[in-house]
Amino acid sequence: MDIYSGPVFDMARTQFHRIADHLEIPADARDRLLYPKRAVAVACPIHCDDGSLRVFQGFRVQHHLTLGPTKGGTRFALSVDIGEVAALAVWMSWKCALAGLPYGGAKGGVTVDPYALSPRELEALSRRYMQEMIPFVGPHTDVMAPDMGTNEQVMAWFMDTYSMYQGQTVTEIVTGKPVATGGTLGRREATGRGVAYLIERALERLDLPMTGATAIIQGFGNVGSVTAATLASRGARIIGVSDHTACWFDPRGLDVPALMRHVAATGKLAGFSNQMAFDPAELLAQPCDILVPAAVERVIDGAMAARLQCRVLAEAANGPTTPDADAVLEQRQEIFVIPDILCNAGGVIVSYFEWVQDLQQFFWDEAEVNDRLYRVLQRAFVQVMERAARDRISHRTAAMAIGVAKVRDAKDTRGLFP
Ligand code: NAD
């Protein structure tokens, strides 16, 4: 299993073995739980606008087939390699199991800087990637969704490409599509809404009001911007935001609707203002009530964990906190951690609702989507809190222990195939 290398997969592996120790999973049962069932690497050639031909490398990893089809996002980023994609697929498995969804985890991606592509090149690459994946995916095999660097439009191209080859429209092949092409109301906002909902539950437990609470958000894409807007609409003050182009900080509070309009118009935070520029490396260490990493992995290492000055750490990104940082945070009981597989589960929960609606061709209104989303999140949150209190373990250990144990139990009941 040496192909799964790199710092992100190492992190997923370390986390898994900690949980396996906690659950007393025997050594010979561990590889089967940890290592992906299937991994595919593809070459995606496209014609670029300058007339050149370029080949991009794409991946898809399906972690386990034990509970149903696999499910997971597609990432377009320069960091994408087989190890990163596999780690994200593994985390998806624990996340889906924790939320009680009938899926194994998957993830895919293309090694590319999506911001450097023209809209036409992005469409060509999206269609080519899906075309290469057709033999490996299907509505009951593996269902894709958006992740970093992809969005509703990319999902529409995926769905259209798959449908062309089937000779009929197959909306249920991807989730996170535009509503006009079989998407569900509330999916675009689901991850950020879920993050904000869980932050409210955490603040309640800490007896802190949302009104006037200060928040810092790293990453201002789909998840970060919706989290910021939802927290602001509930009375929080957003004092810092960053993306890959800029970092803005103002203790008096930033104008979130204006930031969102700026990003909608320009695609980035850069250029919003020259007055409040801040060192992005220092953003996470600033005093605040709520800290939300909503961009990339491994931004909080042991040294940064020791410097955090927040009350709630809401892990909207996948894998923002390293195992070294976990060891520090376990000593810092004053920080309430909402671990990633719980914190950002709103996305896959509403993706599941979208898949169900597409399969039935029966669509729900947004209130029903949100109401069901909050019920699933509430159940998972309470389970994690109860398990952590009962076993005197961290929230991450509790969340992962619930997820891993569900997958292990299903594998034990079924046998060796899935
Ligand atoms: P996105 O592409 O919409 O936005 C990513 C944001 O992160 C952008 O603002 C980008 O500029 C910023 N960014 C990238 N590198 C950065 C860096 N080094 N420092 C600061 N900012 C940086 O992606 P998204 O869908 O919002 O995903 C963000 C995170 O949330 C990822 O970790 C993803 O895996 C996770 N996630 C997303 C969903 C979803 O539904 N989209 C669901 C669950 C988890």
Side-chain angles (χ1 to χ4, degrees), residues 75 88 95 107 115 146-150 187 191 218-224 242-244 294-296 316-318 344 347:
R75 175 172 291 194
L88 290 161
K95 187 187 305 182
K107 208 78 176 191
Y115 307 111
D147 191 77
M148 252 175 56
T150 59
R187 172 61 185 89
T191 310
Q218 180 191 54
F220 207 73
N222 173 305
V223 179
S242 69
D243 73 357
H244 69 293
V296 292
N318 285 304
N344 65 37

Side-chain angles (χ1 to χ4, degrees), residues 5 8-9 75 77 79-89 107 297:
S5 59
V8 188
F9 194 79
R75 175 172 291 194
S79 63
V80 166
D81 61 24
I82 191 81
E84 180 179 270
V85 172
L88 290 161
K107 208 78 176 191
E297 298 91 26

Side-chain angles (χ1 to χ4, degrees), residues 63-286:
H63 180 225
H64 75 81
L65 313 174
T66 315
L67 292 166
T70 51
K71 184 87 191 75
T74 308
R75 175 172 291 194
F76 284 3
L78 281 174
S79 63
V80 166
D81 61 24
I82 191 81
E84 180 179 270
V85 172
L88 290 161
V90 169
W91 288 328
M92 274 301 283
S93 286
W94 315 144
K95 187 187 305 182
C96 290
L98 173 64
L101 308 181
Y103 293 135
K107 208 78 176 191
V110 177
T111 314
V112 59
D113 176 3
Y115 307 111
L117 297 179
S118 71
R120 196 204 63 78
E121 291 168 337
L122 181 65
E123 176 172 357
L125 182 60
S126 303
R127 289 188 179 278
R128 187 66 199 215
Y129 173 78
M130 175 47 109
Q131 191 178 330
E132 296 300 335
M133 288 295 155
I134 286 173
F136 309 106
V137 299
H140 296 283
T141 313
D142 183 11
V143 181
M144 294 186 187
D147 191 77
M148 252 175 56
T150 59
N151 55 24
E152 288 186 356
Q153 175 61 73
V154 172
M155 295 307 111
W157 289 325
F158 282 179
M159 188 272 277
D160 186 63
T161 304
Y162 185 86
S163 298
M164 278 160 49
Y165 279 80
Q166 301 301 318
Q168 59 184 343
T169 296
V170 188
T171 53
E172 58 272 27
I173 184 61
V174 296
T175 60
K177 302 177 292 295
V179 174
T181 50
T184 181
L185 294 164
R187 172 61 185 89
R188 186 190 310 151
E189 302 84 0
T191 310
R193 265 185 195 149
V195 172
Y197 175 85
L198 292 168
I199 289 169
E200 273 189 316
R201 305 287 78 74
L203 291 177
E204 275 167 17
R205 288 194 174 234
L206 296 172
D207 217 6
L208 289 172
M210 177 69 90
T211 306
T214 53
I216 290 177
I217 296 168
Q218 180 191 54
F220 207 73
N222 173 305
V223 179
S225 67
V226 174
T227 302
T230 312
L231 290 177
S233 74
R234 297 192 187 158
R237 188 153 40 102
I238 313 302
I239 59 172
V241 296
S242 69
D243 73 357
H244 69 293
T245 65
C247 176
W248 304 119
F249 185 81
D250 187 341
R252 294 166 301 173
L254 296 160
D255 182 346
V256 176
L259 282 165
M260 292 183 79
R261 281 195 300 275
H262 178 79
V263 171
T266 67
K268 52 185 190 275
L269 283 175
F272 178 68
S273 159
N274 293 323
Q275 315 242 298
M276 305 167 289
F278 198 77
D279 178 2
E282 289 299 309
L283 184 67
L284 299 181
Q286 298 312 300

